[in-house]
Amino acid sequence: MRMQSALLSSDVTSVQVPVQLNAVVDERTRRLLRQRAAERGLTMGELIDQLMVHL
């Protein structure tokens, strides 16, 4: 359902589609991501969404 909504929507920023991402990072990076997410009251996924906007 979400995928269909995303494909049909012209405003892709308003439709969330579950995507499994896997990345190998060192422990320091994992801890920093968790810390920054917690400081902002976000999940790691939400933090990564925000980071992607700035790339």
Side-chain angles (χ1 to χ4, degrees):
M1 182 71 173
R2 284 184 180 178
M3 182 61 83
Q4 290 172 343
S5 294
L7 293 173
L8 296 174
S9 176
S10 60
D11 181 12
V12 295
T13 60
S14 67
V15 180
Q16 293 186 341
V17 180
V19 175
Q20 180 67 43
L21 298 175
N22 293 310
V24 177
V25 297
D26 59 41
E27 182 59 20
R28 179 178 175 270
T29 300
R30 186 188 70 80
R31 288 181 185 185
L32 284 171
L33 285 168
R34 291 186 95 165
Q35 180 182 0
R36 296 298 186 266
E39 288 170 357
R40 292 165 174 77
L42 303 171
T43 65
M44 283 181 58
E46 291 167 335
L47 178 66
I48 291 169
D49 283 345
Q50 288 184 2
L51 292 170
M52 293 303 295
V53 170
H54 299 288
L55 289 180

